Amino acid sequence: MPDYRLRGAVRGADGEIGAPRVDEELTAADAKEAVRLANSRSLAIEDEAVNALWLVDAHGTLLWSLRRADLES
């Protein structure tokens, strides 16, 4: 099974994203399952300052991203 990384950081008011505060490895059969896992995991991130999440594959290709403000609107 391929490995994916779910990362999260604080996005500043200027749009700049800081160093990752969340860096978790997700194992999924394919990218579609990895996105599903990232989506469900995004609701349980305990660091409330983290407002930007993204998922990359083993090659560093961005597969999914989320701004937490998008969940609240």
Side-chain angles (χ1 to χ4, degrees), residues 25-53:
E25 189 172 294
L26 299 179
T27 300
D30 56 27
K32 186 175 180 177
E33 181 185 358
V35 169
R36 185 185 58 75
L37 290 171
N39 237 331
S40 64
R41 179 69 183 102
S42 72
L43 301 174
I45 301 294
E46 293 177 8
D47 187 338
E48 292 183 16
V50 170
N51 57 5
L53 298 165

Side-chain angles (χ1 to χ4, degrees), residues 2-20:
D3 290 325
Y4 301 88
R5 283 206 169 290
L6 175 63
R7 293 192 169 150
V10 176
R11 178 191 305 261
D14 62 359
E16 187 172 330
I17 295 177

